[in-house]
Amino acid sequence: MDASTRFAQSVLLSMRRDVEEAGGNEVFWVGRIGADGLVAEAEVGARGNEDSVVVNRSAAREGHVLVHNHPGGNLSPSRADQSVAAHSSDSSLGFYIVDNAVSEVYVVVEPVRPRELVPLDEDAVAGLLAEGGALSRLSPGFEERPGQIALLREIARAFNGGRVGVFEAGTGTGKSYAYLIPAMLWALQNKERVVISTGTINLQQQLVEKDIPAAQRIIGREVKAVLLKGRQNYVCLRRLAEAGNERELFDADTDTLDRIAAWAKTSPTGSRSDLSFMPDESVWGRVNSESDACMGMRCPFREDCFVMRVRKDAADASIVVVNHHLLFADIESRMGGAGYDDTAVLPPYRRIVFDEAHGIEDSATSFFSETITRFKLAKQLNLLYRAYRGSVAGFLVQVSAVATAEDFLHRAGAAVQDVRAALLGLDEIGLSVLGDDQAARIHAGSAERFEAVFPAMDALRAALASFTGMVREVLETVSEEDRDIPSVWETKSVLRRLEDMIVLCRSFCEWNEHDDRVFYLQKIRLPPKRQGDAPVHFVQFTQTPLDVAPLMDEGVFEPMSCVVCTSATLRTGTSFSYWMRRTGISFVEEERLSQGVFESPFPYRTNAIFAVPRDAPMPDSGFAFQDYVEETVPRLILAAGGRTLVLFTSYDSLRHCYASARAALAAEGMTLLRQGDDDRFRLLDRFREDTSSVLFATDSFWEGVDVPGESLSQVIIVKLPFSVPTDPVFAARSEAVERRGGSSFMELSVPQAVIKFRQGFGRLMRRSDDKGVIVVLDRRIVEKAYGRQFTTSVPMTRRMYNPLEDILRAVRRFFSASPES
């Protein structure tokens, strides 16, 4: 093809000069297409030799088409060219090959004609939240928030400039409006969908039910916004109907099944969260929607399918709200070949806002991890083949009616028994190897300990491979007209899961060939079903990525046009560097990165005390510290009149302290609540409603607890939240830091603890008129050099480093002087 049909004349001349300056070797260009469809600009991204040239991905981001020359004159794409073409297609880039004279061109991938984007008017958008703007007219008692307006401006600039924005916004900044308004206006002006990803259900519901409708009133325009949940949250009508035909498999759960079936007939959403009761996981897992079991257009229930309905609703939505886990499921699908221009798990998009972005490393780690347990595998086997009261049931029984294989069910039963035996053997060996340990990692220094695990894991792999191979052979005997019946479809979906487990078994046995992964065993305890029964212990075998940063860069930050990350806790000390390294943002080119800090407007200096008892024992003093905690926590609770959240890093410490506090405060009439005694949401509701109650909690309660007002007026942080050094993933990541010559304590342990500490600290003040006290019983925060990273990461308050008696007096005075008291 004549090159003049694809390139402006001035570009042809400049490219010829580029080839000449490169000595006739290969050159890589990034081209930008003009309104006439011709390449109007071509910038050199790299120069190579006569056989190859590096593709400059950073430069490629700014263009519409990738171009390189073949010095030999043969313009047919090589294998390397085809690989570049596949990547460019995923990124919506065209790909051309030219000769050295730039007179002929071979179009490998047609470029997407650039669309003129309409930038946001930053002043006009910011004006919506300013004095005299739409928000002030809609809100009685309006007070302008300069931090919110400044954050909105930065986010609008990120949308306009195609940037990656990292913005820390303190509690009370009003960050939801600051990103919703630019996102909504951008989506309306440019017909581009924006995905908003959050870490918690609470925030998703707040956005959809409260913030998005309010933001629509502020901008004065309707914007279609949809909340999307993972498939597993919706009931599958086909699977529900099939479960109803196999009621004998549900034993005592038939009543639950009937209640789900009755609810599904009238539910407008089919979402589990709309159920008025909580079904057992084993029942819900049998009737919920699953991607690999979905029959799509072949399904007889497709017209009424809840998942298809919500996805159809999202297909033309401007704003799609998801959680981090669902977003990563979509990203994985796109990285696996679905590309970025079509629907995968989510409809296509190029702009993301991560709220609660401090948690995306943990969310990505969790999503990209793979596990196997005897219960997880047994569940899949039971779906295929289950002996019950002298008869057999399962999908294979139904498949046998349409398959021509002889003696199939008898052979399947024997093969399932072989798998079960291998599975139980592996579990017993795993428990024996763990002994008294809760978890153990497989690595060079510990491999000898796991010598018995590997042959047992391989035996399970072999038994599974034999069984799945036999089922595959039987499925081949099913006629073409019967291959779309539900039992055949379900059997294939279970087979895919079992084959994934085979791959995981093989990876475990070849652990030393996978330096980018962490392999470990963890002991799980199931509480007894009936009083007097012993608890059940089993082993979970897990493979998890050592570092999610490269995955995040490849799947999120590189292909997306704009990514905004915001949270109240992204920095350690005064730097974003730790969080950026862990999440892959450190790979983003500096000129594409925006950063900003927007301090909380809350009056911490006058409304909060931050106290550390100077006479507390050090946490490494063993029983002395725990004894001190058990004595001190009830006294602080009494001084505050209850209304306290006590945060622990160890459930064992929590349990002992809770028991001591119950005894010490028995006569005070206070309600003491303990994590684990009830559902998280019910616990928080009771804590919120009973203003003198006390909540003892650990782990997940360090964040996401939003209790404004008097009910939460004191936070006691028992110890600085350092990760347990023996945690398998943390230990592996620490070793990786040490191997490259770094300090795992300063580069990993401290920053990770600082971010979690900041989350715990942030539980106290949730609105501007909140008042309260934060007491940290761990005096390392003052006496150790690294303590400054903690203290400089939180807002300035009145601070005390005094003996406990002084602090108790100050707490009593503080609350006796408070108007709320």
Side-chain angles (χ1 to χ4, degrees):
M1 183 186 297
D2 188 335
S4 63
T5 63
R6 294 282 175 159
F7 297 87
Q9 195 62 37
S10 60
V11 174
L12 291 175
L13 294 172
S14 70
M15 290 175 69
R16 287 166 189 156
R17 286 195 297 271
D18 294 335
V19 172
E20 188 177 338
E21 289 170 4
N25 289 313
E26 291 201 15
V27 179
F28 164 76
W29 294 271
V30 177
R32 281 172 284 278
I33 294 175
D36 58 2
L38 299 180
V39 176
E41 299 176 55
E43 181 182 343
V44 174
R47 299 174 182 83
N49 55 33
E50 61 182 9
D51 299 315
S52 62
V53 65
V54 172
V55 177
N56 186 332
R57 301 285 182 200
S58 175
R61 175 182 302 284
E62 304 302 323
H64 305 125
V65 61
L66 311 182
V67 187
H68 94 99
N69 59 314
H70 279 187
N74 180 358
L75 303 190
S76 298
S78 65
R79 185 170 296 178
D81 289 330
Q82 289 169 351
S83 175
V84 172
H87 191 281
S88 67
S89 178
D90 285 347
S91 303
S92 301
L93 296 170
F95 182 42
Y96 298 169
I97 300 173
V98 297
D99 59 359
N100 270 19
V102 200
S103 58
E104 296 291 321
V105 60
Y106 185 90
V107 177
V108 185
V109 177
E110 287 285 356
V112 176
R113 192 78 170 260
R115 194 162 48 85
E116 198 66 39
L117 295 174
V118 181
L120 298 171
D121 182 330
E122 294 168 18
D123 290 334
V125 176
L128 293 171
L129 301 184
E131 185 68 55
L135 180 59
S136 68
R137 293 192 296 273
L138 291 167
S139 306
F142 168 83
E143 288 185 15
E144 185 176 286
R145 301 187 193 182
Q148 182 185 50
I149 295 171
L151 174 59
L152 180 146
R153 282 185 176 276
E154 285 293 338
I155 292 173
R157 288 186 192 118
F159 271 86
N160 285 343
R163 302 175 72 82
V164 173
V166 177
F167 306 123
E168 182 176 283
T171 308
T173 305
K175 67 180 186 301
S176 296
Y177 285 171
Y179 64 69
L180 281 174
I181 290 172
M184 293 163 79
L185 289 172
W186 181 274
L188 289 170
Q189 289 179 193
N190 293 290
K191 303 295 186 287
E192 279 195 352
R193 182 178 295 105
V194 180
V195 169
I196 297 172
S197 181
T198 78
T200 62
I201 294 171
N202 283 350
L203 181 53
Q204 290 170 51
Q205 291 175 334
Q206 177 187 314
L207 288 172
V208 172
E209 296 170 9
K210 178 185 172 187
D211 293 343
I212 289 175
Q216 289 181 354
R217 291 192 292 273
I218 292 169
I219 66 174
R221 299 173 69 181
E222 288 287 322
V223 180
K224 185 172 182 180
V226 172
L227 169 62
L228 271 184
K229 305 174 185 177
R231 270 184 174 272
Q232 70 279 5
N233 289 284
Y234 299 95
V235 69
C236 171
L237 295 175
R238 175 182 64 78
R239 301 186 83 208
L240 180 62
E242 289 170 7
N245 295 330
E246 298 178 342
R247 293 169 59 84
E248 71 278 3
L249 295 180
F250 289 86
D251 297 335
D253 294 318
T254 52
D255 180 58
T256 302
L257 190 65
D258 290 342
R259 292 178 71 187
I260 294 174
W263 161 80
K265 290 177 182 176
T266 58
S267 172
T269 66
S271 172
R272 184 180 186 177
S273 63
D274 293 341
L275 279 167
S276 60
F277 60 97
M278 188 66 69
D280 187 87
E281 195 61 45
S282 62
V283 179
W284 182 255
R286 182 63 184 83
V287 300
N288 68 336
S289 179
E290 294 182 333
S291 59
D292 54 3
C294 179
M295 295 182 67
M297 297 308 294
R298 299 179 181 87
C299 181
F301 295 87
R302 64 184 177 276
E303 296 298 327
D304 298 311
C305 175
F306 293 112
V307 172
M308 286 195 175
R309 191 181 302 167
V310 73
R311 289 199 167 180
K312 184 178 180 182
D313 203 27
D316 62 347
S318 297
I319 303 291
V320 175
V321 180
V322 299
N323 64 22
H324 297 335
H325 196 274
L326 183 60
L327 179 69
F328 291 133
D330 180 76
I331 294 296
E332 181 189 48
S333 178
R334 295 184 187 283
M335 292 172 70
Y340 287 82
D341 295 321
D342 298 309
T343 295
V345 177
L346 304 178
Y349 56 94
R350 288 286 179 168
R351 294 171 191 271
I352 303 174
V353 175
F354 282 107
D355 199 347
E356 300 177 314
H358 61 275
I360 59 178
E361 183 195 10
D362 287 344
S363 295
T365 298
S366 172
F367 178 79
F368 290 108
S369 296
E370 298 173 71
T371 64
I372 187 169
T373 71
R374 64 183 173 99
F375 291 104
K376 183 177 180 180
L377 180 47
K379 175 187 173 183
Q380 301 305 317
L381 293 175
N382 286 340
L383 290 174
L384 292 179
Y385 182 94
R386 179 184 178 187
Y388 183 78
R389 294 179 181 175
S391 62
V392 293
F395 298 133
L396 292 184
V397 176
Q398 299 167 45
V399 169
S400 67
V402 295
T404 58
E406 295 182 7
D407 198 26
F408 164 51
L409 283 181
H410 175 72
R411 289 187 291 124
V416 166
Q417 287 305 313
D418 290 343
V419 174
R420 290 187 191 280
L423 182 58
L424 286 173
L426 174 63
D427 195 65
E428 288 172 3
I429 288 171
L431 287 171
S432 174
V433 167
L434 283 174
D436 293 333
D437 294 338
Q438 283 300 114
R441 177 170 60 100
I442 303 171
H443 58 97
S446 69
E448 190 174 334
R449 176 182 179 182
F450 300 95
E451 281 184 346
V453 170
F454 303 130
M457 183 70 81
D458 195 53
L460 176 60
R461 180 203 59 76
L464 270 174
S466 176
F467 173 61
T468 56
M470 180 186 68
V471 175
R472 286 274 179 211
E473 289 177 12
V474 171
L475 289 175
E476 289 298 318
T477 70
V478 176
S479 66
E480 196 70 38
E481 62 195 41
D482 288 330
R483 290 188 178 183
D484 283 341
I485 66 174
S487 58
V488 173
W489 199 267
E490 291 273 11
T491 297
K492 289 178 179 178
S493 69
V494 174
L495 272 185
R496 283 192 288 271
R497 292 178 213 136
L498 293 177
E499 286 165 350
D500 285 343
M501 292 184 188
I502 291 171
V503 173
L504 180 56
C505 288
R506 183 180 295 114
S507 295
F508 251 90
C509 294
E510 300 169 349
W511 63 272
N512 55 346
E513 297 179 17
H514 302 286
D515 292 340
D516 59 341
R517 304 177 207 170
V518 184
F519 296 88
Y520 63 95
L521 284 64
Q522 184 175 9
K523 190 188 300 181
I524 309 293
R525 178 185 181 274
L526 286 178
K529 286 189 174 180
R530 291 180 297 272
Q531 192 171 6
D533 289 355
V536 175
H537 292 91
F538 64 96
V539 178
Q540 178 172 281
F541 300 83
T542 303
Q543 166 191 285
T544 198
L546 178 64
D547 184 4
V548 299
L551 284 170
M552 291 289 295
D553 179 55
E554 180 186 351
V556 178
F557 300 116
E558 183 177 321
M560 291 298 147
S561 299
C562 172
V563 182
V564 171
C565 303
T566 183
S567 168
T569 55
L570 297 178
R571 292 178 302 156
T572 56
T574 58
S575 171
F576 289 108
S577 59
Y578 164 75
W579 182 82
M580 287 170 56
R581 281 199 313 272
R582 301 305 309 170
T583 55
I585 296 184
S586 56
F587 293 114
V588 174
E589 313 85 56
E590 191 173 338
E591 59 271 17
R592 191 176 171 238
L593 186 64
S594 297
Q595 299 178 40
V597 178
F598 306 88
E599 301 289 356
S600 170
F602 290 170
Y604 281 92
R605 288 178 181 271
T606 57
N607 285 23
I609 295 175
F610 176 16
V612 181
R614 193 170 64 198
D615 47 4
M618 280 293 191
D620 59 5
S621 61
F623 291 121
F625 181 74
Q626 180 62 28
D627 290 345
Y628 176 82
V629 169
E630 292 176 26
E631 177 188 337
T632 301
V633 166
R635 298 183 70 192
L636 285 165
I637 290 170
L638 199 56
R643 49 189 175 184
T644 299
L645 173 65
V646 192
L647 293 173
F648 295 82
T649 58
S650 154
Y651 193 79
D652 194 51
S653 175
L654 180 156
R655 187 166 51 84
H656 287 295
C657 186
Y658 175 79
S660 298
R662 283 194 69 177
L665 301 171
E668 302 300 327
M670 293 178 184
T671 302
L672 303 189
L673 306 169
R674 176 174 57 175
Q675 180 181 349
D677 285 350
D678 202 348
D679 172 77
R680 172 189 172 96
F681 296 106
R682 283 193 291 269
L683 272 179
L684 286 174
D685 283 343
R686 290 179 64 190
F687 181 53
R688 194 177 287 111
E689 290 163 9
D690 185 344
T691 55
S692 66
S693 64
V694 180
L695 176 57
F696 291 72
T698 183
D699 198 27
S700 62
F701 282 74
W702 284 71
E703 59 180 283
V705 173
D706 190 5
V707 183
E710 188 179 358
S711 292
L712 203 172
S713 297
Q714 179 173 243
V715 176
I716 301 173
I717 294 177
V718 172
K719 285 174 69 174
L720 296 179
F722 287 107
S723 290
V724 180
T726 54
D727 174 83
V729 178
F730 179 78
R733 289 173 174 172
S734 295
E735 285 181 12
V737 173
E738 298 287 342
R739 277 198 301 272
R740 60 170 174 77
S743 163
S744 60
F745 183 69
M746 294 307 298
E747 293 182 34
L748 194 63
S749 298
V750 170
Q752 193 177 82
V754 167
I755 286 179
K756 189 163 187 176
F757 173 77
R758 296 184 68 198
Q759 283 289 323
F761 190 100
R763 297 314 94 207
L764 181 67
M765 294 188 64
R766 307 306 298 170
R767 64 188 189 197
S768 60
D769 59 348
D770 280 347
K771 299 176 184 292
V773 177
I774 296 167
V775 182
V776 178
L777 302 183
D778 187 341
R779 59 191 174 93
R780 291 178 296 179
I781 196 170
V782 176
E783 297 191 3
K784 297 293 185 181
Y786 59 77
R788 280 188 55 78
Q789 291 207 39
F790 291 86
T791 55
T792 58
S793 294
V794 294
M796 183 54 66
T797 62
R798 176 187 167 192
R799 298 190 174 185
M800 297 182 66
Y801 184 50
N802 298 71
L804 176 63
E805 294 301 329
D806 292 351
I807 292 171
L808 288 167
R809 280 193 293 272
V811 171
R812 284 191 286 267
R813 282 198 304 272
F814 183 88
F815 288 112
S816 65
S818 171
E820 289 181 348
S821 299

